[in-house]
Amino acid sequence: AELNLLPYVLLRPFSRFMPDASSQVAEAMRRNDFGMLVEIGMLMVKSGEVGDAVMLLQQACVVKPGHEDMVVHLMLAELATDTTERIKHANRYTELRPDDPYGWLQLGNFCNHADDIEAALEAYSRGTAADPSEYRLVTSCCRMLSKLDREDEAFEIACAGVASGALHDSWQLPPHLVRGLSAHAWRDDVQEWRVARVLEANFDMIRAEVMATIENGSLLQEGTEDTEGLLRSGRWTELNLIFQGVTQSPNSTLCPKTVALIEREIPEAASMVRGAVKLSVLTPGTVVRPHHGPSNTRMRVHLGIRIPAGAYIRAGDPSEPSNVRQWQEGRVLCFDDSFRHEVWHQGSEPRIILIVDVWHPEMDHRSRLNACDGEHQRQVYLARCGSGKDTMGWD
């Protein structure tokens, strides 16, 4: 939810551009003139000198504390490194432009980053009032309400989001939403997909590699615990083999045949720059609270490796009994993890699965490329896509 600031910069009435940037900065600081500080600060933004730009624009605010230059406040909210400073300028921007939903979105993001959930909720709510059709504000409101255990209010906001056209489904709340893609919590058509055929056909090999990491202790030793605060009880450990399209070393050496198989035969997984390929271990007594994945562009495939009794997953409307599923060893299940989902384990032995994220099956090459977040993801995707085209004819 970042703003593109370049148009704001280019609209500034620059009267000159001196090639000696350091002289411009020094002269602006010497004169201590608001107009010059702002003008040279904007030039520094345009030329990519972010440090000098922030210094000059902050000094402009010192020279003229009560100024109403919205772009200056917007720039400092975006470019300053201190969270408190960013919140201060984002607040000032929303005072000057209360009708701009993106200003409220940025303020909410900064407050959320500072763990001020109530302030974040207030900002997202104000933004939603300014533009009820902006899905990022609606989903962010719901996310904050869920953190505050106000689930009924979150559901009301989500339903209003569906009515306004911001959302596809009241249980689907990703921070990144591509419109027009089919929205189903469970993808029972996964059996028609290549990922299911390849994983199930190679289950014996995959299981042997995964269980070896359990027996020698490397999975639990090298894996990471819950990093998002989703655990209500128990222990949940994951080990990334491929993350955002990049093979993870040395983790990948723990399951080299599995990684090679996915890179060679499942390009829609290897190129999934908004997801991962990873092992997941859930100990008995673990409860993972309801949450939503980051994007509706990815479908989350689970291959059961060791599945004891008592382990469950639910995705979508929690009042629908058919949305509760159990894993099966050697079989895949698939859900759209941008939908509300949760996991609990009432059994007596660890539950172990392989998670393989793939692109939404309705996305073509251009839509996948457009869904990449930044140039790095685009380059990773293109490299993986080229390899998949060569080996599997994937396109």
Side-chain angles (χ1 to χ4, degrees):
E2 298 295 325
L3 296 180
N4 178 9
L5 298 176
L6 187 58
Y8 291 94
V9 177
L10 296 179
L11 288 172
R12 302 294 300 201
F14 300 130
S15 60
R16 59 191 178 280
F17 182 78
M18 297 165 56
D20 187 350
S22 60
S23 295
Q24 295 181 70
V25 172
E27 181 65 12
M29 293 296 287
R30 187 187 68 80
R31 292 192 186 184
N32 215 27
D33 173 76
F34 178 82
M36 187 175 186
L37 287 165
V38 170
E39 181 174 347
I40 303 303
M42 293 299 178
L43 284 171
M44 293 299 103
V45 174
K46 184 179 179 182
S47 63
E49 300 293 336
V50 174
D52 284 337
V54 170
M55 178 181 69
L56 290 164
L57 295 178
Q58 286 177 335
Q59 183 60 25
C61 293
V62 171
V63 171
K64 192 176 180 181
H67 76 85
E68 297 186 354
D69 192 317
M70 293 181 293
V71 177
V72 171
H73 291 296
L74 186 63
M75 288 290 177
L76 285 172
E78 179 67 23
L79 301 177
T81 56
D82 180 73
T83 301
T84 302
E85 187 81 2
R86 301 181 89 176
I87 291 174
K88 179 181 76 174
H89 290 287
N91 259 316
R92 181 63 176 142
Y93 178 78
T94 56
E95 290 173 4
L96 297 168
R97 282 289 309 275
D99 60 332
D100 183 355
Y102 300 102
W104 292 112
L105 180 63
Q106 291 294 78
L107 176 57
N109 290 345
F110 299 147
C111 292
N112 183 34
H113 181 72
D115 291 325
D116 190 343
I117 306 305
E118 292 283 3
L121 175 59
E122 173 65 18
Y124 293 139
S125 298
R126 293 285 298 274
T128 301
D131 184 0
S133 67
E134 173 48 65
Y135 79 87
R136 290 172 294 183
L137 287 161
V138 176
T139 59
S140 296
C141 271
C142 294
R143 195 168 65 251
M144 296 303 104
L145 287 166
S146 294
K147 285 186 177 182
L148 295 168
D149 291 325
R150 293 158 60 180
E151 296 291 351
D152 290 345
E153 293 175 67
F155 184 63
E156 289 180 11
I157 296 291
C159 290
V162 173
S164 70
L167 303 178
H168 292 155
D169 189 287
S170 55
W171 298 108
Q172 184 186 40
L173 302 171
H176 173 256
L177 179 71
V178 174
R179 298 188 186 282
L181 297 178
S182 60
H184 308 287
W186 287 103
R187 299 297 307 224
D188 294 328
D189 56 339
V190 68
Q191 290 299 326
E192 303 170 10
W193 303 357
R194 170 169 41 204
V195 61
R197 295 193 299 270
V198 172
L199 293 179
E200 292 182 359
N202 291 275
F203 172 66
D204 290 341
M205 177 274 291
I206 295 170
R207 177 175 57 182
E209 282 201 326
V210 174
M211 293 310 298
T213 70
I214 292 291
E215 291 163 8
N216 63 28
S218 57
L219 195 161
L220 294 178
Q221 181 179 344
E222 301 299 330
T224 57
E225 304 298 320
D226 170 36
T227 58
E228 301 178 58
L230 298 175
L231 275 181
R232 285 183 170 160
S233 62
R235 185 182 181 190
W236 176 26
T237 306
E238 294 186 325
L239 180 75
N240 282 317
L241 303 175
I242 302 173
F243 180 70
Q244 294 184 348
V246 178
T247 302
Q248 301 297 291
S249 179
N251 294 355
S252 60
T253 62
L254 299 176
C255 297
K257 294 179 182 178
T258 300
V259 172
L261 173 73
I262 292 169
E263 291 180 323
R264 183 179 66 249
E265 297 190 27
I266 316 178
E268 55 269 49
S271 69
M272 206 317 122
V273 294
R274 284 187 171 270
V277 174
K278 56 188 175 181
L279 303 176
S280 175
V281 180
L282 217 62
T283 61
T286 298
V287 176
V288 179
R289 68 177 178 82
H291 59 286
H292 300 81
S295 176
N296 69 327
T297 61
R298 80 179 191 193
M299 303 291 104
R300 178 146 283 188
V301 178
H302 287 183
L303 174 67
I305 303 296
R306 186 168 76 179
I307 309 300
Y312 298 89
I313 179 172
R314 174 162 49 207
D317 183 351
S319 68
E320 172 53 55
S322 65
N323 283 337
V324 177
R325 307 283 176 96
Q326 290 181 284
W327 298 268
Q328 297 180 55
E329 293 183 3
R331 299 298 303 274
V332 303
L333 57 76
C334 179
F335 63 101
D336 179 340
D337 84 330
S338 65
F339 278 79
R340 178 191 191 273
H341 59 283
E342 58 190 312
V343 175
W344 63 98
H345 187 5
Q346 301 167 334
S348 57
E349 297 180 358
R351 181 234 59 180
I352 305 167
I353 61 172
L354 174 68
I355 297 175
V356 179
D357 292 329
V358 298
W359 290 100
H360 192 293
E362 294 170 10
M363 298 180 73
D364 59 13
H365 170 66
R366 181 173 294 277
S367 60
R368 293 191 294 264
L369 190 60
N370 289 339
C372 293
D373 184 13
E375 185 60 25
H376 174 71
Q377 281 196 4
R378 282 190 285 272
Q379 292 304 318
V380 171
Y381 166 74
L382 288 170
R384 290 290 200 183
C385 181
S387 176
K389 188 173 184 179
D390 292 340
T391 59
M392 301 297 296
W394 185 63
D395 146 27

